[in-house]
Amino acid sequence: MSIGRRARQWASPERCVAIACGFFVGLVVLVLRWYVRDGAQPLFWNDSADYVAAAKLSLLSPERLLGIRPVFMPLVLGVLDGNQQQLTIVHSVFSAISWGLLGAVLTVSLRTWPARAVAIGGVITIASVWTVSMWDQQILTESLALSSLALVVSAALWFANSPSLLRSCFLAGSALLWLLNRDSHAIPIAAGALVVGITVWVAKTTNRRLIALTCAYLVAFAFVISASASTSNRNLQPLEHVFAVRVLPYPDRVQWFTDQGMPLGAELLAIPEATDPVKDLAGFTPVPPEPKWEPWRDWLETHGQLALFRYMATHPTYLWTETQQVPERVFNNGTGLTTYWPLQQRSIPVIDELGTISTTATILIASAALVVIAYLDEHRRRSAIVAMVVIATALPHGVAVWHLDGMESARHMLIASIQLRIGTMILVATAVDSLFALRGTGRFRLARSNDLQMAPHPRE
């Protein structure tokens, strides 16, 4: 094939439209991010100090690669020589690029302009709502993690449309980037890749080897990240938080873990429980940082995680009932996400309302969209399949994040929450696409009349 012909194929009208839509989405997101921030200074939190300290370490040192924090945020800070003002700019620009790519891929994945309009509006709304946009000025991982999530969904959808080696590499690379943001991202990546890989291999679909190999790489990346977290003991502090708020305040649970070999059970029960005299918050038992408690912390490091998993296995209702306790069994959670809302940040009235729909309503909307797709579209839409994987893996992602830390649940569960909303938005756009693509056809008219003996229209 000549270079000119390849160039004409690459610059097809469809791709030009997609690039234009992606550029439009990215530009709008960038402008809105600039507007809501209003020139405010970076916000520094307790966790920010760890990222700044890690950024000063040698790039290939064990302390950097297997340190107390995942490597991506310190890497970006290191490249910027610790300049926090520049980091906020990188946050905004990376967000615009990632969400713009998602808008571009959705444009080529959908067949009708009403559906594309829904997708473009949905991407802009999710990317600009205050729960997402407010993190640009904060020296935390949320902004990079959310933008990387949009990148992963873009890559997954692009790969699903037409699997190829190039698209496989892009998906693997974007997934690795997301994994390097937070260790908990290994859960949805591994779960989704395992299910898709096994399903494709058993079904013997087209390109099954490439798809299965891609999924195998994703699972391998997830296990490497999980191993690095375990080796560096990054899971130790969150595990102590879990014990502080969900085990130590309850004598029956302390006794169970004491029977499993946990030392100093009686002494731990004697620690005064911390409570809030004003707010109705769950109490927790903070273990002092004193040499007396080193045997307990040594046990926690070597046996605590496995003991907690055994408790979950022998108390199967714990996974659900514990999350439903009132007050919520977490601490240092403030008033939820509003705790992190910068005082100087401007609001975007319509977007902020649309983007904060409850989780229950989001699930109902996704279910309704799925029914429409299944009823009207006889083909397996790849955008719907990708959306279903994104939604399905959001549940174990959120549950795992909540159970693996006892502090700041609102902030830690944000990524899974936005993951659910991205998947729902894609499902809604696909449902609109199915509706308008079949509008006026014999199949659509027969579907409307609930004719179970559905036959193709003669003109089809």
Side-chain angles (χ1 to χ4, degrees):
M1 184 184 296
S2 65
I3 296 177
R5 185 177 176 185
R6 286 181 178 177
R8 285 193 298 272
Q9 280 190 349
W10 190 90
S12 64
E14 185 182 48
R15 287 184 176 177
C16 289
V17 168
I19 292 171
C21 289
F23 182 80
F24 171 76
V25 170
L27 182 61
V28 171
V29 169
L30 188 61
V31 169
L32 290 177
R33 294 287 184 105
W34 172 83
Y35 169 79
V36 298
R37 184 179 170 193
D38 193 24
Q41 293 300 307
L43 291 177
F44 197 88
W45 299 84
N46 291 339
D47 288 354
S48 306
D50 290 338
Y51 296 111
V52 172
K56 297 177 181 178
L57 299 172
S58 174
L59 182 60
L60 299 179
S61 66
E63 294 80 7
R64 177 74 168 271
L65 297 176
L66 298 172
I68 193 173
R69 297 292 179 181
V71 302
F72 188 55
M73 178 76 158
L75 176 62
V76 176
L77 270 171
V79 170
L80 299 175
D81 198 25
N83 190 312
Q84 297 172 25
Q85 188 69 44
Q86 290 181 5
L87 176 66
T88 61
I89 296 173
V90 169
H91 281 166
S92 298
V93 172
F94 184 43
S95 296
I97 293 172
S98 300
W99 293 101
L101 281 173
L102 181 56
V105 175
L106 280 169
T107 299
V108 295
S109 302
L110 301 168
R111 298 168 289 182
T112 64
W113 274 108
R116 291 169 177 171
V118 169
I120 289 172
V123 171
I124 292 173
T125 298
I126 296 174
S128 305
V129 69
W130 68 271
T131 52
V132 175
S133 63
M134 71 175 178
W135 302 104
D136 281 1
Q137 75 178 92
Q138 309 195 38
I139 314 303
L140 293 169
T141 60
E142 273 69 22
S143 182
L144 294 174
L146 289 165
S147 299
S148 300
L149 170 60
L151 201 63
V152 171
V153 177
S154 305
L157 191 54
W158 193 43
F159 178 73
N161 287 341
S162 180
S164 68
L165 182 59
L166 174 63
R167 299 184 183 201
S168 171
C169 292
F170 181 51
L171 174 56
S174 60
L176 181 59
L177 191 65
W178 195 45
L179 288 165
L180 292 175
N181 275 275
R182 280 186 176 179
D183 300 326
S184 58
H185 296 167
I187 295 162
I189 290 291
L194 274 172
V195 171
V196 171
I198 293 172
T199 302
V200 166
W201 189 261
V202 172
K204 298 181 179 180
T205 60
T206 306
N207 293 315
R208 71 167 183 156
R209 290 192 177 185
L210 177 61
I211 297 173
L213 183 62
T214 303
C215 291
Y217 270 102
L218 296 181
V219 172
F221 288 161
F223 274 98
V224 168
I225 293 300
S226 297
S228 70
S230 178
T231 302
S232 61
N233 288 328
R234 285 199 295 266
N235 63 327
L236 191 56
Q237 188 179 56
L239 181 63
E240 184 169 337
H241 296 161
V242 172
F243 271 75
V245 74
R246 296 175 196 148
V247 175
L248 301 185
Y250 308 101
D252 58 328
R253 295 182 179 179
V254 171
Q255 184 60 53
W256 189 93
F257 281 94
T258 301
D259 294 341
Q260 302 298 310
M262 184 179 75
L264 303 174
E267 292 84 349
L268 289 165
L269 276 176
I271 298 176
E273 186 177 313
T275 57
D276 192 303
V278 178
K279 298 178 181 179
D280 182 23
L281 302 177
F284 68 101
T285 303
V287 181
E290 299 171 358
K292 171 184 177 180
W293 305 105
E294 286 305 314
W296 177 74
R297 288 196 165 90
D298 290 341
W299 175 87
L300 200 67
E301 178 179 346
T302 56
H303 299 91
Q305 192 76 74
L306 185 59
L308 182 62
F309 288 154
R310 281 201 300 267
Y311 183 83
M312 293 178 181
T314 55
H315 300 75
T317 60
Y318 171 88
L319 281 174
W320 172 250
T321 58
E322 192 70 5
T323 64
Q324 303 304 302
Q325 298 299 317
V326 179
E328 185 183 8
R329 287 177 178 171
V330 295
F331 65 96
N332 200 29
N333 208 31
T335 55
L337 285 176
T338 55
T339 303
Y340 305 92
W341 196 343
L343 297 176
Q344 293 179 250
Q345 178 156 315
R346 291 168 171 168
S347 62
I348 310 175
V350 176
I351 286 180
D352 282 347
E353 273 80 29
L354 289 177
T356 52
I357 299 173
S358 70
T359 297
T360 301
T362 302
I363 294 173
L364 290 175
I365 292 170
S367 301
L370 189 58
V371 169
V372 171
I373 295 168
Y375 190 53
L376 290 183
D377 202 334
E378 61 186 353
H379 303 291
R380 293 181 179 178
R381 299 300 309 284
R382 291 174 180 176
S383 57
I385 293 173
V386 171
M388 289 168 61
V389 172
V390 172
I391 292 172
T393 55
L395 177 60
H397 186 188
V399 170
V401 166
W402 193 89
H403 278 289
L404 293 178
D405 201 337
M407 185 174 72
E408 295 185 273
S409 64
R411 178 167 74 91
H412 293 158
M413 291 184 65
L414 172 68
I415 310 300
S417 173
I418 299 302
Q419 182 183 337
L420 171 65
R421 282 151 179 79
I422 291 174
T424 299
M425 179 270 296
I426 296 175
L427 268 187
V428 170
T430 305
V432 173
D433 202 34
S434 300
L435 187 65
F436 278 87
L438 294 169
R439 188 178 183 182
T441 66
R443 176 174 169 78
F444 181 74
R445 287 194 293 272
L446 288 169
R448 289 181 60 188
S449 65
N450 295 320
D451 188 347
L452 296 180
Q453 300 299 322
M454 199 173 297
H457 191 271
R459 291 179 60 186
E460 293 183 334

